[in-house]
Amino acid sequence: MKNILVTGGAGYIGSHVVVKLHEHGYNPIIIDDFSNSQHSVIQGIKNITGKDFKVYEGDILDQSLLKKIFGNHKIEGIIHFAAKKAVGESVEKPLYYYKNNVSGLVSLLEVVKEFNVKNLIFSSSCTVYGQPDKLPVTEETPKKPANSPYGNTKQIGEEIIEDTINSGTTLKAIALRYFNPIGAHPSSEIGELPLGTPNNLVPFITQTAAGLRDSLTVFGDNYDTPDGTCIRDYIHVMDLADAHVRCIEYLEVENSDQHFDVLNIGTGRGNTVLEVINAFESVSGLKLNFKIGDRRAGDVEQIFAQVDKSRQILKWETQHSLTEAMRDSWKWQQKLSNKSSSDSVS
Ligand code: NAD
């Protein structure tokens, strides 16, 4: 069974990818420092798969740990999720973000080179496009200057990998530019676990509905969109996870020693914030307490992907609707709320 190292494998996207890798006959090996995840995620993965995967608790900046992992296991490919991802926090703590996300990637690549690992997937983001001049965005859409240190770490990350390959390193890598991942595993064993106040819309909606937050503020309803609220391309995390496995499969058969490419991973559809709220209300049967506030600095008006390239290269299609994603997010939130109320009773 082929070993795939999943950095950040206890995180939101990483944990779903671990499950999908297992379903496709791979042996995922996790490294995570649990700085933005909880150990219970590993139990959730076990409940779904019935397997205890090897977990290394530590930092990707720790090269002695990385060398130990590569020494202990023959690693066929790496899916590199481990990074900090809060845009606002990155503005307050840029050096922390550059160290973790950029130096972390450099640390990993040095060891990748030393151990001659062949295949790498890098978690990039649609933030590299900023507010594009034309929609939908293709992989050819020019990148805009990043509007946060976080966004910059994704742009720089892609460039570091490409430069490394161009310098002669034998490595095949693909940067997947995610649009907006939402939803949870349909079993509700794993899902998004935001520590503190969520940065993303969907966990904010579900936490508000669960009574953990008083109300949701929609940032602006005077944009040039059908209902005035911002448009994003929301993709179910299970579809996103599937794209990673297909990408690993593609890299394995890609017939060259060196390869670098970027792929958009979204649905190809945009939805407004109010459409997402409506979808939530219809699956939950609840009325969400929300109000319209001012626009939020740094928000782009609308962005959604063109996904022809990833469909063609990965032979991949999204399978889940916005409604299914909202249903799975809500089931996951209800499970979390039930667990925390039973924890506080016991
Ligand atoms: P997450 O925070 O849930 O997962 C990241 C995991 O990496 C966490 O478990 C964290 O503990 C771990 N980690 C962070 N720094 C580490 C380090 N130095 N060493 C070891 N482990 C470390 O985030 P996610 O939503 O699963 O995102 C995964 C990747 O996808 C990130 O690179 C993120 O920037 C990128 N991304 C996420 C989104 C999104 O909306 N969730 C969108 C675009 C791109």
Side-chain angles (χ1 to χ4, degrees), residues 9-21:
Y12 172 41
I13 304 169
S15 55
H16 292 79
V17 169
V18 165
V19 170
K20 275 276 178 199
L21 283 167

Side-chain angles (χ1 to χ4, degrees), residues 25-331:
Y26 291 95
N27 180 41
I29 294 169
I30 296 171
I31 174 172
D32 202 300
D33 65 0
F34 294 89
S35 56
N36 198 40
S37 48
Q38 295 176 15
H39 292 85
S40 59
V41 172
I42 304 299
Q43 185 60 45
I45 293 172
K46 186 175 176 188
N47 292 347
I48 297 168
T49 61
K51 287 266 182 191
D52 262 323
F53 299 110
K54 184 77 188 157
V55 179
Y56 290 89
E57 181 159 356
D59 192 330
I60 52 162
L61 281 155
D62 177 356
Q63 286 195 327
S64 61
L65 175 61
L66 291 179
K67 287 178 189 180
K68 183 174 152 195
I69 298 172
F70 287 104
N72 286 352
H73 313 273
K74 182 169 164 30
I75 303 290
E76 301 286 342
I78 301 173
I79 309 183
H80 177 43
F81 294 106
K84 300 287 162 196
K85 62 169 181 178
V87 171
E89 187 187 47
S90 79
V91 175
E92 286 158 25
K93 300 180 185 167
L95 296 180
Y96 178 56
Y97 271 67
Y98 287 120
K99 183 165 183 185
N100 198 72
N101 295 8
V102 178
S103 304
L105 173 64
V106 172
S107 163
L108 181 68
L109 285 173
E110 284 176 345
V111 182
V112 160
K113 236 177 123 161
E114 187 178 328
F115 285 81
N116 204 17
V117 181
K118 300 272 184 285
N119 303 318
L120 172 77
I121 297 175
F122 174 65
S123 293
S124 189
S125 165
C126 66
T127 56
V128 301
Y129 298 117
Q131 174 61 68
D133 299 327
K134 224 173 117 202
L135 289 165
V137 286
T138 74
E139 291 79 358
E140 305 304 316
T141 298
K143 291 189 257 181
K144 291 275 175 72
N147 58 7
S148 71
Y150 167 72
N152 210 13
T153 67
K154 294 299 174 193
Q155 294 196 349
I156 296 169
E158 290 187 3
E159 288 164 14
I160 289 174
I161 297 168
E162 191 171 12
D163 288 346
T164 305
I165 293 169
N166 288 341
S167 73
T169 303
T170 313
L171 178 66
K172 295 183 279 183
I174 293 192
L176 297 181
R177 293 177 176 163
Y178 312 152
F179 281 67
N180 290 66
I182 60 169
H185 192 274
S187 66
S188 305
E189 290 289 348
I190 52 173
E192 191 167 4
L193 266 177
L195 301 178
T197 309
N199 293 295
N200 295 333
L201 175 64
V202 171
F204 218 110
I205 290 176
T206 56
Q207 289 193 2
T208 305
L212 301 173
R213 314 211 162 260
D214 289 341
S215 79
L216 168 84
T217 302
V218 175
F219 296 116
D221 68 347
N222 54 1
Y223 286 100
D224 186 14
T225 61
D227 62 27
T229 62
C230 289
I231 290 179
R232 297 288 180 271
D233 183 336
Y234 295 95
I235 177 167
H236 197 298
V237 68
M238 295 307 294
D239 284 328
L240 181 60
D242 192 33
H244 287 77
V245 178
R246 286 168 192 268
C247 195
I248 279 287
E249 289 169 347
Y250 167 76
L251 285 172
E252 282 175 351
V253 297
E254 210 283 331
N255 197 14
S256 60
D257 287 341
Q258 290 165 313
H259 178 79
F260 179 75
D261 208 351
V262 296
L263 293 176
N264 284 344
I265 304 293
T267 64
R269 285 184 314 274
N271 285 103
T272 66
V273 175
L274 293 182
E275 285 168 350
V276 176
I277 292 175
N278 284 339
F280 172 76
E281 291 185 334
S282 70
V283 297
S284 66
L286 298 171
K287 200 89 203 101
L288 190 74
N289 186 19
F290 72 92
K291 56 179 188 285
I292 305 293
D294 292 337
R295 290 182 177 196
R296 184 171 61 173
D299 274 347
V300 302
E301 177 177 278
Q302 47 182 314
I303 184 163
F304 51 96
Q306 201 214 72
V307 286
D308 294 3
K309 186 176 169 188
S310 44
R311 276 190 189 134
Q312 192 217 328
I313 290 183
L314 304 180
K315 313 272 179 277
W316 164 84
E317 292 281 342
T318 54
Q319 306 289 333
H320 301 280
S321 64
L322 176 65
T323 305
E324 285 171 81
M326 296 310 290
R327 183 202 59 209
D328 290 336
S329 292
W330 181 228
K331 263 172 53 189

